[in-house]
Amino acid sequence: MTTIITRLGLFALLLLLTAIAGYAYTQIRYLSLPIPQALALLTVVLPFITGISAQRTYGLVRRSANNEPYQLTIPLIAVIGFQLMYETIIATLALTHMIPPAALLCGLESKWKSWWSAHDANAGEAIRTIQDALNCCGFNTVRDRSWPFTEPATCAKTFGRTQSCAAPWRRSEQIHAGLLLLVAVSVFIIKVLSLISLLTSTTFSQSRWARPFKQIGHTHDVEDVDETEDNRATVRRLIEENAEEYRDEPNGESSTRAIDAPNGEDGHGPRVQPSQLADGGHEWRT
């Protein structure tokens, strides 16, 4: 039950991140922001790819725990490695559209200038959309290359606007680039937490995949265990050797030698022998 709830929560979170990236993509298109649309699209599909790879990894671990045939296929390893690079690239590119703020104006002004130079319907529609969405006129000032393309500029007077579009347009670029960065970082954090949860789960610890991790994580413990086992083997061998050395010899040969041996031999001290019987007595002498 807990596993099901966890997976549903993960699915809902990935779905939310997909929605955030989708919203950023639509706003980038709508406001003609100088953020590559390909970057936004790649961010939209990132949570989806993460969900598939996570589900595939859990399935392989479960089959391994059940001693079923499994394969840690090279494509799966490649997907995980590719995702790490994928997230890093998205985060880096998104960050370039957030800082430094002064540098962003160059790209925005270049795009606005190209529209003004074109002076066609498409260019006019792009400028008008930005002005209406951000309630502004012109680029640097309300009279600077504003729509409608008239001389003198009539945007501010016609629509009653008092601010230029450079600052709010730049702010909009930073916000939506920040959303892309948020998605990439969130997916990375989710992946790290999922891997930690996987490595500490009972299913993983029972699977054959856990053996290399246990060997890597407990190298010193294994060496100590091996040393202890060697010490025990040595003690056992010494005990067996001593047992053989002190074992009784068959047919009482050792006792006979001890009695019959001459004085000082075999390290048993003086020899004990019967004395001459006197008066039918049973006297012994040494």
Side-chain angles (χ1 to χ4, degrees):
M1 186 66 180
T2 305
T3 304
I4 296 176
I5 295 176
T6 302
R7 289 186 180 180
L8 288 176
L10 179 61
F11 175 77
L13 184 56
L14 292 176
L15 189 62
L16 176 62
L17 292 175
T18 302
I20 293 174
Y23 170 76
Y25 170 71
T26 57
Q27 290 300 302
I28 289 169
R29 289 194 60 187
Y30 179 68
L31 296 176
S32 301
L33 296 172
I35 300 175
Q37 294 185 18
L39 174 62
L41 283 175
L42 290 174
T43 308
V44 171
V45 300
L46 178 58
F48 178 73
I49 294 176
T50 301
I52 292 178
S53 64
Q55 183 65 26
R56 179 63 175 165
T57 302
Y58 277 113
L60 290 175
V61 171
R62 191 185 308 111
R63 287 196 296 272
S64 175
N66 294 332
N67 293 324
E68 297 180 11
Y70 73 96
Q71 284 184 339
L72 182 60
T73 57
I74 291 187
L76 180 59
I77 298 176
V79 167
I80 295 175
F82 173 72
Q83 280 184 318
L84 294 176
M85 294 187 294
Y86 188 177
E87 295 154 9
T88 302
I89 292 173
I90 289 177
T92 302
L93 293 178
L95 195 60
T96 61
H97 291 277
M98 296 176 63
I99 54 175
L104 300 179
L105 288 176
C106 295
L108 293 172
E109 185 171 11
S110 177
K111 197 162 191 177
W112 193 286
K113 183 179 179 180
S114 66
W115 291 331
W116 176 261
S117 300
H119 247 73
D120 56 16
N122 292 332
E125 181 65 19
I127 294 177
R128 185 185 68 81
T129 300
I130 294 171
Q131 291 181 160
D132 291 345
L134 302 178
N135 192 30
C136 60
C137 285
F139 186 75
N140 290 316
T141 66
V142 293
R143 297 178 178 274
D144 178 30
R145 296 166 287 184
S146 63
W147 184 91
F149 298 142
T150 58
E151 290 294 341
T154 59
C155 175
K157 184 177 180 180
T158 303
F159 300 103
R161 298 166 182 165
T162 58
Q163 68 170 346
S164 62
C165 295
W169 199 30
R170 178 182 62 184
R171 185 164 56 251
S172 180
E173 180 184 7
Q174 290 175 310
I175 291 173
H176 294 96
L179 292 178
L180 300 183
L181 177 63
L182 173 65
V183 172
V185 173
S186 298
V187 167
F188 175 77
I189 293 174
I190 291 172
K191 185 179 298 180
V192 171
L193 294 178
S194 298
L195 288 175
I196 293 175
S197 176
L198 176 64
L199 294 177
T200 56
S201 65
T202 304
T203 302
F204 181 82
S205 63
Q206 294 174 352
S207 68
R208 287 172 286 182
W209 289 14
R211 296 174 187 173
F213 293 95
K214 291 179 180 179
Q215 292 175 357
I216 294 173
H218 303 284
T219 301
H220 297 292
D221 295 339
V222 171
E223 292 176 354
D224 293 340
V225 170
D226 292 339
E227 183 177 355
T228 302
E229 291 179 354
D230 291 340
N231 292 337
R232 290 178 180 176
T234 302
V235 172
R236 191 180 301 112
R237 186 173 60 254
L238 291 175
I239 293 174
E240 292 174 354
E241 291 176 357
N242 291 333
E244 292 177 358
E245 183 176 331
Y246 289 101
R247 186 178 298 149
D248 291 340
E249 298 185 8
N251 301 325
E253 293 178 359
S254 177
S255 300
T256 305
R257 279 200 309 270
I259 295 175
D260 296 340
N263 188 22
E265 294 183 2
D266 287 342
H268 293 288
R271 180 166 57 92
V272 179
Q273 62 183 0
S275 64
Q276 298 294 332
L277 294 176
D279 298 331
H282 302 280
E283 296 180 0
W284 293 80
R285 65 182 180 182
T286 60

